[in-house]
């Protein structure tokens, strides 16, 4: 079972760039406290963006399925998947994602640039039983992995959830915080 999961993950990592319409990579050479290396692969034909953050044990993978309207984040340290509805008012469109990432990379933005948009989600403690409701891309990424549903908390403040959040910073564009007891440390 572990071999199947590892094989599927590696297959996804190697196949995604070959099927993508474009790739963007951003390195954080001063890795202490940084985000390691991030890459974005976008497949316009299928309406899917894949964001990989490679930073040792704090690595994660995120998939945005614009067709189904769902996104999933898989923090490797947590050994789980967290699915949430995409907030299209905050998350960039598939067309804008390329432009924003390239613009921020070329202008050297990061900590010095404008603050990224933020989303805060509450992760529900019950495991999801039926991944099919989220679309084929989510099923492929999370099959065999404990999966939880997260709901956006409107107007929330991270001060209320200081030690119960897993934070995902995507290319200086978007910060996503996943908060609640379901996220075991």
């Amino acid at each position: 079972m572990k071999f199947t999961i590892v094989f599927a993950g590696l297959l996804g990592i190697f196949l995604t760039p070959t099927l993508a319409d474009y790739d963007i990579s951003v390195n954080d050479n001063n890795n202490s406290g940084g985000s390691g290396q991030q890459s974005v692969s976008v497949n316009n034909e299928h309406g899917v963006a894949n964001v990989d953050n490679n930073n040792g044990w704090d690595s994660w993978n995120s998939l945005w399925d614009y067709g189904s309207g769902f996104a999933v984040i898989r923090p490797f340290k947590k050994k789980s998947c967290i699915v949430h509805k995409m907030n299209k008012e905050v998350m960039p469109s598939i067309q804008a994602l390329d432009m924003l990432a390239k613009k921020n990379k070329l202008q050297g933005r990061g900590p010095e640039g404008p603050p990224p948009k933020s989303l805060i989600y509450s992760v529900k403690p019950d495991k999801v039983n039926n991944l099919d409701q989220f679309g084929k891309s989510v099923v492929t990424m999370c099959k065999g992995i404990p999966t939880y549903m997260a709901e956006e908390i409107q107007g929330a403040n991270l001060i209320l959830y200081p030690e119960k959040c897993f934070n995902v910073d995507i290319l200086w564009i978007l910060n996503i915080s996943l908060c609640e007891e379901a996220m075991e440390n």
Side-chain angles (χ1 to χ4, degrees):
M1 181 68 171
K2 288 182 183 180
F3 175 76
T4 303
I5 293 171
V6 170
F7 179 74
L10 289 174
L11 184 63
I13 289 170
F14 292 117
L15 262 183
T16 300
T18 61
L19 299 175
D21 291 330
Y22 56 82
D23 299 308
I24 304 160
S25 293
V26 176
N27 290 311
D28 181 1
N29 294 329
N30 302 323
N31 199 3
S32 64
S35 60
Q37 176 184 0
Q38 288 190 2
S39 63
V40 178
S41 300
V42 175
N43 185 312
N44 284 313
E45 181 180 335
H46 293 105
V48 175
N50 186 42
V51 182
D52 291 307
N53 184 72
N54 299 308
N55 190 20
W57 192 232
D58 291 325
S59 296
W60 51 262
N61 179 266
S62 180
L63 183 130
W64 300 358
D65 188 336
Y66 288 88
S68 72
F70 286 99
V72 61
I73 297 172
R74 185 175 66 186
F76 295 120
K77 185 193 304 187
K78 308 285 185 196
K79 298 179 184 172
S80 62
C81 284
I82 296 93
V83 179
H84 61 87
K85 282 189 177 182
M86 295 176 63
N87 181 335
K88 294 181 181 179
E89 292 178 19
V90 178
M91 297 176 81
S93 70
I94 199 165
Q95 295 81 13
L97 182 60
D98 176 44
M99 184 226 19
L100 287 169
K102 285 180 181 175
K103 178 181 170 186
N104 287 351
K105 179 181 179 181
L106 292 174
Q107 293 181 359
R109 291 191 181 167
E112 296 84 32
K117 295 180 179 182
S118 295
L119 292 169
I120 301 174
Y121 289 90
S122 173
V123 180
K124 302 302 173 193
D126 298 325
K127 289 182 185 176
V128 173
N129 294 321
N130 179 15
L131 291 175
D132 293 327
Q133 63 186 318
F134 305 119
K136 185 178 176 180
S137 298
V138 173
V139 171
T140 302
M141 185 169 166
C142 297
K143 187 173 185 175
I145 299 172
T147 302
Y148 302 91
M149 184 70 190
E151 293 181 8
E152 185 177 353
I153 306 170
Q154 297 289 332
N157 189 328
L158 281 178
I159 295 172
L160 301 174
Y161 304 93
E163 65 277 338
K164 294 184 180 182
C165 295
F166 180 81
N167 297 309
V168 173
D169 299 318
I170 299 172
L171 297 173
W172 309 302
I173 297 170
L174 180 65
N175 293 335
I176 297 176
S177 297
L178 303 165
C179 307
E180 202 59 40
E181 300 88 49
M183 298 294 298
E184 297 176 11
N185 291 328

